[in-house]
Amino acid sequence: MFNTFHRKQDFRHLHWKICVIRTYKLFLYSSGWKQSYSSLFVFDDAENLKAKVKQLAEALQQAKHVVIYTGAGISTAASIPDYRGPNGVWTQLQKGRSVSASDLSRAEPTLTHMCIWMLHKVKMVQHVVSQNCDGLHLRSGLPRHALSELHGNMFIEVCDSCCPAREFIRLFDVTERTALHRHGTGRLCPQCRAQLRDTIVHFSERGTLEQPLNWKGAAEAAQQADLILCLGSSLKVLKKYSCLWCMNRPANKRPKLYIVNLQWTPKDNLATLKIHGKCDAVMGLLMEELGLGVPLYNRSQDPIFSLAKPLSPQEQKSHTREEITPPSDLEDASRDTQAQGEATAVQGGWFGRGYSKARRKKKT
């Protein structure tokens, strides 16, 4: 009788709690406050940030196999907007603000990209798994075997009719004519004359290309990892890739997880340490703690110029995208840019089409 009474009391208390939470949510929504906790931005103060970075540095020095997962947040310093950050595409659209698109081929590797390159060079990082399509890891000098670009690379088109698939790296964004479930770039394979396709994996698509996605390398790296560092990612997409998280192991056998992001992520509760800071600021402090210099991006050493395959004379007019210019051509290119004035917004391609789709959703 006594136990039954207490069970009823517990049930009523739980029901009351649920009602309070629901009422509070309804109040927030009706009062115009539509941002969820996951969209709030948190910054560690300078002293706390430095202490956390010191912990991260010590963990990296002790680790034997480190894998870095990167998201759009590491490219914002290159003027490439992320999606959910303070100035992200989705954030601005939710506030009813317009977002201008630009030619992403003008971007250059950021301080974070170059720090990652250096950490790999000194063998402190073994593999990088990126969600970004901007090609900046490749352009930083990171070796192909140490990189998995899970969602593709805007500078790479492939012929999947050839066996093995034939890859063509270009000096321009190859996705001008492509979109969800439509990947043909309009150019032909010089070997078999089949249509070339981009490598971008859009939302709801499943990536099957061996390169540049390199899923095999990503999965193998995750299995060997004893430390995973996540930089600038909300992890809302990456969390779905079970092979990256070793969740089939007991908790004490999984890699230690360190997250650098300004917002909540669905992996925060599993993290050994969460650092709330901008990626460039955190990586700059990290390199200082490790006693490593921060390398600067040097366009004359950008590997894309040696990797790129030139278009045939017949294909010269197959795109309207701006090409990345080698250092010797920079002066002439800057004159041309000034003469043309303000660049027009890019509407096609993997970024432009995604942005346009978001705008249509916002209007409806």
Side-chain angles (χ1 to χ4, degrees), residues 284-298:
L285 289 171
L286 178 63
M287 299 300 274
E288 189 179 321
E289 283 288 341
L290 294 172
L292 297 172
V294 177
L296 297 176
Y297 168 72
N298 185 340

Side-chain angles (χ1 to χ4, degrees), residues 195-313:
Q195 185 170 167
L196 298 180
R197 56 156 293 172
D198 70 8
T199 60
I200 305 302
V201 181
H202 293 275
F203 290 111
S204 80
E205 290 184 331
R206 186 179 180 85
T208 56
L209 292 171
E210 185 174 336
Q211 287 291 351
L213 279 55
N214 192 15
W215 268 105
K216 182 181 178 184
E220 288 177 354
Q223 289 300 314
Q224 297 175 52
D226 56 357
L227 188 152
I228 294 173
L229 173 59
C230 300
L231 295 172
S233 173
S234 69
L235 301 180
K236 290 180 180 179
V237 175
L238 276 187
K239 72 172 183 180
K240 299 174 183 177
Y241 304 144
S242 57
C243 65
L244 299 180
W245 303 105
C246 306
M247 296 303 289
N248 56 338
R249 299 184 198 169
N252 62 342
K253 299 287 185 181
R254 294 174 200 154
K256 290 181 179 178
L257 180 60
Y258 290 77
I259 299 174
V260 178
N261 203 52
L262 293 174
Q263 298 165 282
W264 171 89
T265 83
K267 291 290 182 180
D268 283 0
N269 63 320
L270 299 175
T272 302
L273 181 68
K274 172 71 180 291
I275 302 176
H276 297 96
K278 291 188 175 182
C279 293
D280 278 8
V282 171
M283 293 305 286
L285 289 171
L286 178 63
M287 299 300 274
E288 189 179 321
E289 283 288 341
L290 294 172
L292 297 172
V294 177
L296 297 176
Y297 168 72
N298 185 340
R299 182 170 282 214
S300 65
Q301 296 176 3
D302 193 323
I304 199 167
F305 296 116
S306 58
L307 294 170
K309 292 182 173 63
L311 296 174
S312 67

